[in-house]
């Protein structure tokens, strides 16, 4: 059952209003339904029985409320039965006898094959909810899962009170189990020491708890020092040694989030059990998050150090070029001076030589290494802090070995490198091996070690056990012992053969055919080879027929305009996304407004105070609390799922694509330079964060994730395809940043093709296995260098990585980092690289020879750009400096922006569907070809600014389950 159909599960009364689509979905009677009703009941009760039948389909339970039944529903059911429906009716009015209602409900259950819950099923449900409660501490979420569990097994939902009682028990059992595990792993004396330490005051007047709660600020040595200080403090308490077997990380994070919002005073008021749960969870999660942030910030600062050194070298080169020109001009002038004797000319030339110094570097990289040694003073402080971390790694990792050597030297306060230190690479030998100045050699060894550590953390050869992201490979992948037991099942799930040649042979054949197709296209003049590169004519822009513009205008006139608040209300009626945001249907105007305000505060550039000024019924504290609440339990993503399901059931979307393709790309949002994960946008030259989105070929955003600017995007591109659950995609279009050779192999192994639009000429060359026959006409653009023996030798290891990504053991982002370019020399990287290059060749052969395919890739990427334009219209300003410092905050911002964008697209597509029907009724012909050129990502009719007034009165009966009266807010002076 889709999430859209699950939104009414568990209710025991009909909503005040049902949309026409909802009535059709749940209360449409098939011919066999009508036959069964007519055969079993007289006319007096047929409408009532049909409504009972539809309600069981709608809610999974019995209709017991005595409220008035919606008149449109009565007419809808009566028309199907050929009966005249009463204008006003209620359950009490229809059923004079209670037994009659019970008999009708029993008949509906029997007809649908639904049974009442048994004791055994109740015990099974309790066990299932105990397992589910490891992933969430929200009882409302558990109730939702319990209702789904019952409906999937055709068991009647007994009532929300009984379900809530069971879910509370399951959550309490899990909480008690977690509490017992913590008590076994720690002593009362330890916990008391930790509590006292958290409540103690620091020099700045804050408590230690408030200090740990503060998020990382800008990327600076001072803030990095603060993060390492937190790690030192937590490890000194022994938090890193606390093992909690059987306790899920999600449960720990839930308790830690509660502690994150507590003041020292409110912590003291908690019961002892809650204190222990939140205290230990907060300390564990704080240590892992601080470790992740420290390693990430160290890596970024290392990159900054190298960038500054490269810029200094570049400036020096520019100055040197000018000096060379001036020197050459002077030398030429002296050479043309016939009065100047040869001896004097030679002396003048030697004087010029002295002005350039004695440093001559063979390469730009060598000059950068020298600059790192001579000019930078930030390397040693970073290494001293890293030396205090419990960094582990492979025995042969140079970064780990270098850090161990430096740790010993720092403990002895040595500033000169001993002669016996070995292990440096040949590239650094001239600097590290310098005998005349051992202090300079020490700085060179430090620079090499820092760069090696950055690479080691990225590829997984270095790790920290109490980190979440930077852990050893065995903890990141499916454990080796488990893999050996279950590999056959994983091969089957991935649809990959055990015999690697069964996988490679079809690819090799496809590459051979692709080369022949390229050679044939060259003979026909459809492409050209210039300077060892295949060149293609630019695709001609698709023209637009005049009638398309005319129809677009008529559709826009039919659609009209709308304010964003009313758009949200209208789409909430159609999708019930507010239930996903809150975990249940809203029960008052206030709850409904809080949901909307939280989304607006996160998804637009308005602050909590700004939203409160727009939505005058709420205070800024109300809005801030709502924004914080939406960071939990993936609430925004669940709301997005409902909106996507609504979009996907609209017939009009079939005009825009086959539903099997998508594109992915990043857009940047301006932010404060004080945000630690902000980077300089190369285009706008402003501090920014990245929002990576996957856009369906039917225009909706199917996945989102915040990223750091400047990083390769291949991992997040793959992650978006395998984590979204709405669609079965077989093609993803990306630009150059979303492509690597390893990513080509990983995506194909996971069941879809990565289709990059490549700008780099080197990446557009065709690479084939050694010995493959290559047509003579294209040999200059083909490299016969692939060694597929690497793939054959490490096929099982590569499939283990793919299975770990597929089942969520490791994210594609982390996997592509561990086995990306930083892992050069790793056998899995080498196997994936060789396979990826073969797949790239097959793809490029299609891209070069099929203009229709090439145009489709361009069209997909252009749709992503159009959607980004809509997102920029919604989020017009910058992300504030006090938002987005924590991963949860940034994910919530990205999710809320995606939700608002999809709401606009859904509203526009739904209105277009209605407009087309209206125009055709008026005699205007609207063909499929016309609709293909009219997108739903047009937002000129939507007002995103101004005072937000939510006309809840018009929608209350459809959105608020108990029809509560309108909200009245009294503000204190």
């Amino acid at each position: 059952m889709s999430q859209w159909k699950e939104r009414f599960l568990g209710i025991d009364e009909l909503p005040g209003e049902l949309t026409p689509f909802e009535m059709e979905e749940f209360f449409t009677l098939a011919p066999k339904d009508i036959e069964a009703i007519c055969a079993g009941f007289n006319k007096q009760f047929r409408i009532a029985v049909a409504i009972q039948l539809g309600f069981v389909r709608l809610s999974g339970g019995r209709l017991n409320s005595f409220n008035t039944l919606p008149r449109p529903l009565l007419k809808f059911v009566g028309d199907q039965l050929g009966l005249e429906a009463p204008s006003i009716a209620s359950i009490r009015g229809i059923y004079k006898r209670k037994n009659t209602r019970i008999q009708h409900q029993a008949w509906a259950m029997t007809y649908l094959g639904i049974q009442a819950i048994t004791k055994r099923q109740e015990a099974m449900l309790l066990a299932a909810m105990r397992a589910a409660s490891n992933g969430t501490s929200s009882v409302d979420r558990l109730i939702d899962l319990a209702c789904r569990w019952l409906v999937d097994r055709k068991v009647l939902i007994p009532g929300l009170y009984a379900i809530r009682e069971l879910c509370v028990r399951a959550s309490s059992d899990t909480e008690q189990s977690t509490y017992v595990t913590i008590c076994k792993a720690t002593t009362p004396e330890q916990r008391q020491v930790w509590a006292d330490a958290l409540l103690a005051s620091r020099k700045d007047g804050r408590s230690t708890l408030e200090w740990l709660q503060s998020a990382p600020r800008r990327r600076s040595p001072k803030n990095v020092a603060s993060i390492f200080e937190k790690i030192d403090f937590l490890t000194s308490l022994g938090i890193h040694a606390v093992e909690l077997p059987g306790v899920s990380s999600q449960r720990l994070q839930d308790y830690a989030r509660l502690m994150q919002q507590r003041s020292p005073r409110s912590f003291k008021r908690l019961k002892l059990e809650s204190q222990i749960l939140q205290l230990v969870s907060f300390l564990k999660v704080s240590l892992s998050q601080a470790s992740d942030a420290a390693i990430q910030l160290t890596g970024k600062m290392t990159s900054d150090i190298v960038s500054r050194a490269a810029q200094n070298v570049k400036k020096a080169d520019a100055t040197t070029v000018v000096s060379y020109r001036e020197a050459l001009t002077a030398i030429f002038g002296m050479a043309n001076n016939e009065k100047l004797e040869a001896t004097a000319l030679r002396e003048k030339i030697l004087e010029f030589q002295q002005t350039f110094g004695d440093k001559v570097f063979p390469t730009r990289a060598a000059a950068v290494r020298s600059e790192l040694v001579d000019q930078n003073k930030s390397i040693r402080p970073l290494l001293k802090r890293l030396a205090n971390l419990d960094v582990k790694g492979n025995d042969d990792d140079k970064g780990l070995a270098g850090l161990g050597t430096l740790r010993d030297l720092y403990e002895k306060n040595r500033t000169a490198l001993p002669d016996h230190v070995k292990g440096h690479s040949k590239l650094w030998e001239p600097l590290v091996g310098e005998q005349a100045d051992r202090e300079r050699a020490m700085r060179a060894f430090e620079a090499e070690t820092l760069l090696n550590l950055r690479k080691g953390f990225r590829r997984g050869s270095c790790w920290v056990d109490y980190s979440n992201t930077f852990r050893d490979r065995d903890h990141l992948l499916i454990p080796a012992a488990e893999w050996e037991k279950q590999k056959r099942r994983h091969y089957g799930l991935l649809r990959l053969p055990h015999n690697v040649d069964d996988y490679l042979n079809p690819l090799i054949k496809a590459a051979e055919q692709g080369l022949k197709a390229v050679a044939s296209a060259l003979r026909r003049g459809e492409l050209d080879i210039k300077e060892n590169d295949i060149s293609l004519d630019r695709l001609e822009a698709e023209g637009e027929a005049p009638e398309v513009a005319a129809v677009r205008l008529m559709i826009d006139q039919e659609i009209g305009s709308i304010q964003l608040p009313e758009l949200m209300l209208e789409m909430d009626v159609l999708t019930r996304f507010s239930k996903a945001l809150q975990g249940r249907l809203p029960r008052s105007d206030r709850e409904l407004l809080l949901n909307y305000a939280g989304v607006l505060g996160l998804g637009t550039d308005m602050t909590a105070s700004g939203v409160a000024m727009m939505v005058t019924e709420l205070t800024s504290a109300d809005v801030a609390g709502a924004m914080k609440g939406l960071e939990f339990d993936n609430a925004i993503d669940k709301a997005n799922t409902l909106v996507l399901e609504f979009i996907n059931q609209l017939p009009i979307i079939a005009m825009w694509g086959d539903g099997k393709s998508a594109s992915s790309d990043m857009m940047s949002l301006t932010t404060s330079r004080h945000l630690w994960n902000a980077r300089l946008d190369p285009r706008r030259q402003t501090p920014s964060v990245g929002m990576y989105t996957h856009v369906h070929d039917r225009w909706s955003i199917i996945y989102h994730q915040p990223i750091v600017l400047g990083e390769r995007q291949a991992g997040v591109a793959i992650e978006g395809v395998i984590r979204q659950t709405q669609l079965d995609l077989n093609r993803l279009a990306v630009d150059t940043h979303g492509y690597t050779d390893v990513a080509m192999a990983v995506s194909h192994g996971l069941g879809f093709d990565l289709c990059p639009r490549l700008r780099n000429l080197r990446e557009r060359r065709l690479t084939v296995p050694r010995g493959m026959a290559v047509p003579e006409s294209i040999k200059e653009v083909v490299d016969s260098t692939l060694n597929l023996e690497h793939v054959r030798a490490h096929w099982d290891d590569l499939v283990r990585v793919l299975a770990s990504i597929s089942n969520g053991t490791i994210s594609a982002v982390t996997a592509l980092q561990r086995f990306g370019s930083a892992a050069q020399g790793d056998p899995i990287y080498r196997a994936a690289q060789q396979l990826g290059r073969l797949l790239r060749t097959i793809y490029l052969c299609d891209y070069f020879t099929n203009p229709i395919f090439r145009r489709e890739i361009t069209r997909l990427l252009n749709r992503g750009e159009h959607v980004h334009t809509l997102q920029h219209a919604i989020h017009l300003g910058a992300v504030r400096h006090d938002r987005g410092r924590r991963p949860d905050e940034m994910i919530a911002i990205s999710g809320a922006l995606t939700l608002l964008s999809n709401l606009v697209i859904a509203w526009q597509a739904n209105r277009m569907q209605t407009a087309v029907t209206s125009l055709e009724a008026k005699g205007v012909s609207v063909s499929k070809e016309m609709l293909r050129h009219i997108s739903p990502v047009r937002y000129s009719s939507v007002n995103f600014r101004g005072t937000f007034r939510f006309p809840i009165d018009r929608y209350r009966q459809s959105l608020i389950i108990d029809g509560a009266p309108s909200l009245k807010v009294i503000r204190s002076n």
Side-chain angles (χ1 to χ4, degrees):
M1 177 179 285
S2 69
Q3 288 193 33
W4 184 86
K5 293 183 180 179
E6 296 166 0
R7 53 193 171 160
F8 294 114
L9 291 184
I11 65 174
D12 61 359
E13 62 177 311
L14 280 166
E17 291 182 10
L18 288 169
T19 66
F21 182 79
E22 289 166 349
M23 287 191 291
E24 289 178 7
E25 181 67 32
F26 298 110
F27 292 92
T28 295
L29 301 174
K32 65 176 184 178
D33 299 338
I34 297 174
E35 182 180 350
I37 293 172
C38 292
F41 303 94
N42 58 38
K43 292 183 179 181
Q44 178 185 356
F45 291 113
R46 286 174 187 173
I47 292 178
V49 171
I51 290 177
Q52 292 284 2
L53 182 66
F55 187 81
V56 174
R57 289 170 172 164
L58 175 87
S59 72
R62 297 186 180 98
L63 176 59
N64 294 319
S65 171
F66 297 102
N67 290 345
T68 302
L69 299 175
R71 184 174 179 179
L73 176 61
L74 292 169
K75 185 178 186 307
F76 181 76
V77 173
D79 289 346
Q80 295 179 80
L81 294 170
L83 300 172
E84 183 177 353
S87 58
I88 299 177
S90 67
I91 295 297
R92 188 189 299 275
I94 292 176
Y95 295 110
K96 304 299 183 183
R97 297 173 60 248
K98 179 180 179 182
N99 287 341
T100 305
R101 172 169 57 85
I102 294 174
Q103 289 171 3
H104 290 180
Q105 291 170 342
W107 178 88
M109 290 171 53
T110 303
Y111 182 77
L112 294 174
I114 295 174
Q115 298 177 347
I117 190 168
T118 64
K119 292 291 184 182
R120 182 173 178 273
Q121 289 170 330
E122 187 175 336
M124 292 170 60
L125 176 60
L126 178 61
M129 291 305 99
R130 282 172 179 157
S133 64
N134 286 314
T136 180
S137 58
S138 169
V139 173
D140 286 332
R141 302 293 179 197
L142 289 179
I143 291 172
D144 198 35
L145 291 172
C147 290
R148 270 187 262 170
W149 190 94
L150 292 169
V151 169
D152 289 343
R153 289 157 180 79
K154 291 196 170 184
V155 177
L156 184 76
I157 298 175
L160 281 184
Y161 180 82
I163 293 295
R164 175 173 288 277
E165 189 177 69
L166 183 142
C167 290
V168 168
R169 179 182 170 189
S171 184
S172 298
D173 290 347
T174 302
E175 186 168 287
Q176 182 64 25
S177 174
T178 303
Y179 173 74
V180 170
T181 302
I182 289 175
C183 290
K184 288 181 179 179
T186 60
T187 65
E189 292 77 17
Q190 279 181 310
R191 297 193 294 270
Q192 187 60 51
V193 169
W194 297 343
D196 293 341
L198 282 189
L199 299 177
S201 297
R202 292 171 53 84
K203 293 180 180 180
D204 59 4
R206 292 185 298 172
S207 66
T208 305
L209 173 60
E210 293 168 319
W211 170 62
L212 289 174
Q213 288 171 338
S214 62
R217 294 179 180 270
R218 61 183 300 182
R219 193 167 70 253
S220 67
K222 180 180 177 181
N223 288 316
V224 172
S226 176
I227 294 174
F228 276 98
E229 185 184 353
K230 291 179 181 179
I231 296 173
D232 292 341
F233 169 76
L234 292 167
T235 53
S236 69
L237 295 177
I239 303 301
H240 63 292
V242 176
E243 297 290 340
L244 301 175
V247 178
S248 72
S249 60
Q250 185 60 51
R251 196 78 183 193
L252 287 178
Q253 289 174 8
D254 286 347
Y255 294 132
R257 287 192 187 105
L258 294 174
M259 190 70 169
Q260 177 68 36
Q261 302 175 64
R262 292 204 178 279
S263 65
R265 182 177 299 177
S266 66
F267 173 72
K268 291 178 182 178
R269 290 198 297 263
L270 292 174
K271 294 180 180 179
L272 179 60
E273 182 176 329
S274 297
Q275 281 187 351
I276 292 173
L277 286 168
Q278 295 185 26
L279 170 70
V280 177
S281 299
F282 176 72
L283 293 174
K284 288 283 292 180
V285 171
S286 294
L287 178 58
S288 62
Q289 290 180 346
S291 301
D292 288 347
I295 297 171
Q296 289 171 355
L297 274 174
T298 299
K300 296 307 175 187
M301 292 186 71
T302 303
S303 299
D304 293 343
I305 290 169
V306 175
S307 296
R308 285 195 297 269
Q311 290 172 2
N312 291 340
V313 169
K314 187 176 181 179
K315 291 178 182 177
D317 285 348
T319 303
T320 303
V321 168
V322 174
S323 301
Y324 280 154
R325 289 176 178 173
E326 292 174 350
L328 286 172
T329 302
I331 290 171
F332 291 152
M334 290 186 294
N336 292 326
N337 186 355
E338 298 178 356
K339 297 180 180 179
L340 192 64
E341 296 181 356
T343 304
L345 176 61
R346 185 170 181 273
E347 291 176 353
K348 291 286 187 182
I349 292 175
L350 291 175
E351 290 178 6
F352 280 120
Q353 180 184 5
Q354 294 176 1
T355 62
F356 294 108
D358 55 355
K359 290 185 179 180
V360 179
F361 300 102
T363 63
R364 173 73 65 85
V368 171
R369 287 193 289 271
S370 179
E371 182 69 17
L372 285 171
V373 174
D374 291 334
Q375 300 297 328
N376 201 289
K377 298 181 181 180
S378 302
I379 292 178
R380 185 167 296 171
L382 277 177
L383 285 168
K384 284 185 175 181
R385 295 187 181 103
L386 285 172
N388 290 330
L389 285 181
D390 186 16
V391 181
K392 298 178 182 179
N394 297 337
D395 295 337
D396 59 350
D397 188 82
K398 293 182 178 179
L400 181 64
L403 185 64
T405 300
L406 289 171
R407 186 184 291 114
D408 294 337
L409 294 176
Y410 294 153
E411 289 175 355
K412 298 173 183 177
N413 295 321
R414 299 280 295 272
T415 59
L417 188 69
D419 295 336
H420 63 79
V421 173
K422 303 295 181 181
H424 45 271
S425 65
K426 293 182 180 179
L427 293 174
W428 286 88
E429 174 62 34
L431 297 169
V432 179
E434 185 177 355
Q435 297 298 322
D437 188 348
R438 298 306 293 169
E439 289 190 356
R440 188 170 188 273
M442 174 85 160
R443 295 197 299 273
F445 186 71
E446 288 173 323
E448 181 187 17
T449 299
L450 185 61
L451 295 178
N452 285 335
L453 281 172
R454 181 184 64 169
K455 183 181 292 186
F457 280 122
R458 287 184 65 85
R459 67 186 177 191
S461 58
C462 290
W463 62 81
V464 175
D465 285 339
Y466 42 82
S467 166
N468 275 336
T469 304
F470 300 96
R471 304 195 70 183
D472 64 295
R473 186 175 294 180
D474 282 341
H475 281 88
L476 291 175
L477 300 179
I478 297 171
E482 181 183 336
W483 172 248
E484 289 301 322
K485 292 179 181 179
Q486 300 183 1
K487 68 165 64 176
R488 184 177 296 276
R489 181 173 67 87
H490 288 296
Y491 272 93
L493 290 173
L494 292 170
R495 299 179 181 177
L496 294 174
H498 288 267
N499 186 346
V500 62
D501 285 318
D502 291 340
Y503 182 77
L504 289 177
N505 289 339
L507 298 180
I508 295 171
K509 185 176 180 180
E512 291 174 340
Q513 294 173 345
L515 294 181
K516 294 177 182 177
V518 171
S520 298
L522 180 64
R523 286 195 303 272
R524 295 192 298 268
E526 296 173 359
L527 50 83
D528 195 10
I529 295 178
K530 297 178 181 178
E531 299 178 354
N532 295 327
D533 178 52
I534 296 177
S535 61
L536 299 164
D537 293 334
R538 184 183 295 273
L539 291 170
E540 294 183 4
E542 289 183 297
E544 181 177 279
E547 54 267 24
V548 173
V551 169
R552 182 186 291 113
L553 179 60
M554 286 188 287
I555 288 177
D556 287 344
Q557 291 172 346
E558 289 282 337
I559 289 175
S561 61
I562 194 170
Q563 292 275 344
L564 181 59
E566 186 164 1
L567 182 148
M568 295 176 72
L569 283 163
E570 186 175 317
M571 291 311 305
D572 200 3
V573 170
L574 295 172
T575 64
R576 312 285 177 171
F577 69 84
S578 58
K579 179 189 177 185
L581 294 176
Q582 192 163 339
R584 57 175 170 77
L585 290 169
R587 295 171 183 158
S588 67
D589 290 12
R590 178 181 178 80
E591 287 186 354
L592 199 60
L593 281 178
L594 285 172
N595 288 329
Y596 299 155
V599 172
L600 290 171
L602 290 167
T604 68
D605 51 299
M606 290 186 290
T607 63
S609 299
V611 175
M613 291 176 66
M614 297 285 190
V615 186
T616 55
E617 296 90 343
L618 301 176
T619 67
S620 58
D622 292 335
V623 178
M627 292 165 64
K628 196 70 178 176
L630 291 179
E631 295 174 11
F632 302 158
D633 291 319
N634 299 318
I636 299 177
D637 286 343
K638 292 174 182 177
N640 252 317
T641 299
L642 293 175
V643 178
L644 288 173
E645 288 182 351
F646 172 80
I647 295 174
N648 291 335
Q649 56 85 27
L650 292 173
I652 196 172
I653 66 170
M655 313 301 172
W656 298 318
D658 61 6
K660 297 292 185 180
S661 303
S663 67
S664 64
D665 199 2
M666 184 203 73
M667 61 169 279
S668 63
L669 285 182
T670 303
T671 186
S672 167
R673 63 186 178 88
H674 297 291
L675 201 64
W676 73 272
N677 50 5
R679 302 291 183 271
L680 195 67
D681 186 320
R683 294 182 180 176
R684 295 182 291 177
Q685 294 298 302
T686 57
S688 302
V689 292
M691 299 293 168
Y692 201 84
T693 55
H694 288 64
V695 177
H696 193 211
D697 62 358
R698 294 173 171 178
W699 290 101
S700 56
I701 304 174
I702 58 176
Y703 186 80
H704 69 92
Q705 184 169 332
I707 63 172
V708 176
L709 265 68
E711 292 190 349
R712 202 75 174 183
Q713 300 162 9
V716 69
I718 294 173
E719 183 77 1
V721 175
I722 60 177
R723 298 296 172 239
Q724 64 83 28
T725 57
Q726 297 295 304
L727 306 160
D728 182 18
L729 299 176
N730 56 28
R731 181 187 302 155
L732 180 70
V734 296
D735 62 8
T736 301
H737 293 290
Y739 156 84
T740 64
D741 291 331
V742 174
M744 291 289 285
V746 170
S747 63
H748 193 269
L750 292 172
F752 69 96
D753 293 324
L754 203 63
C755 302
R757 182 172 58 185
L758 300 173
R759 289 193 297 268
N760 192 328
L761 298 182
R762 180 177 59 82
E763 293 176 337
R764 292 173 56 168
R765 291 186 63 81
L766 306 178
T767 311
V768 298
R770 298 169 184 171
M772 178 179 286
V774 179
E776 189 68 30
S777 59
I778 62 172
K779 277 189 174 181
E780 62 180 294
V781 295
V782 178
D783 297 325
S784 301
T785 57
L786 288 185
N787 183 0
L788 297 182
E789 292 305 316
H790 293 303
V791 183
R792 294 185 174 95
H794 300 285
W795 175 243
D796 196 64
D797 294 329
L798 181 57
V799 176
R800 181 186 172 197
V801 174
L802 296 175
S804 300
I805 296 172
S806 179
N807 73 357
T809 303
I810 185 175
S811 73
V813 178
T814 302
L816 267 290
Q817 287 178 348
R818 297 295 181 270
F819 302 100
S821 58
Q824 291 183 13
D826 185 280
I828 298 178
Y829 165 77
R830 196 180 301 115
Q833 181 195 49
Q834 297 295 299
L835 178 58
R837 288 180 177 175
L838 176 62
L839 291 165
R840 182 188 70 189
T841 296
I842 297 170
Y843 163 74
L844 286 177
C845 289
D846 287 338
Y847 188 83
F848 290 146
T849 59
N850 188 342
I852 296 176
F853 176 62
R854 194 160 65 247
R855 186 182 295 279
E856 179 62 21
I857 299 301
T858 302
R859 182 183 292 115
L860 288 170
L861 290 170
N862 287 343
R863 287 186 180 179
E865 294 293 339
H866 287 309
V867 171
H868 289 168
T869 303
L870 167 62
Q871 291 187 291
H872 277 300
I874 296 172
H875 201 296
L876 190 60
V879 178
R880 287 179 55 84
H881 69 281
D882 56 347
R883 297 293 302 166
R885 290 177 179 170
R886 299 183 182 279
D888 289 343
E889 292 176 345
M890 192 55 71
I891 291 172
I893 291 171
S894 175
L897 178 55
T898 299
L899 176 58
L900 289 172
S901 303
N902 276 334
L903 287 173
V904 174
I905 293 170
W907 179 84
Q908 189 78 16
N910 187 49
R911 285 295 184 91
M912 285 178 64
Q913 182 82 57
T914 305
V916 169
T917 303
S918 175
L919 289 174
E920 289 178 341
K922 297 175 182 177
V924 179
S925 175
V926 182
S927 67
K928 294 181 180 180
E929 183 61 25
M930 290 181 184
L931 289 175
R932 191 173 71 86
H933 293 280
I934 304 175
S935 85
V937 188
R938 291 174 295 120
Y939 51 88
S940 58
S941 58
V942 182
N943 187 350
F944 297 118
R945 302 291 178 264
T947 300
F948 288 168
R949 301 191 184 281
F950 288 87
I952 294 180
D953 289 343
R954 297 207 300 268
Y955 300 92
R956 183 177 293 109
Q957 292 298 317
S958 299
L959 293 174
I960 299 173
I961 193 61
D962 61 358
S966 60
L967 174 68
K968 295 182 180 179
V969 175
I970 301 175
R971 296 181 182 272
S972 58
N973 295 327

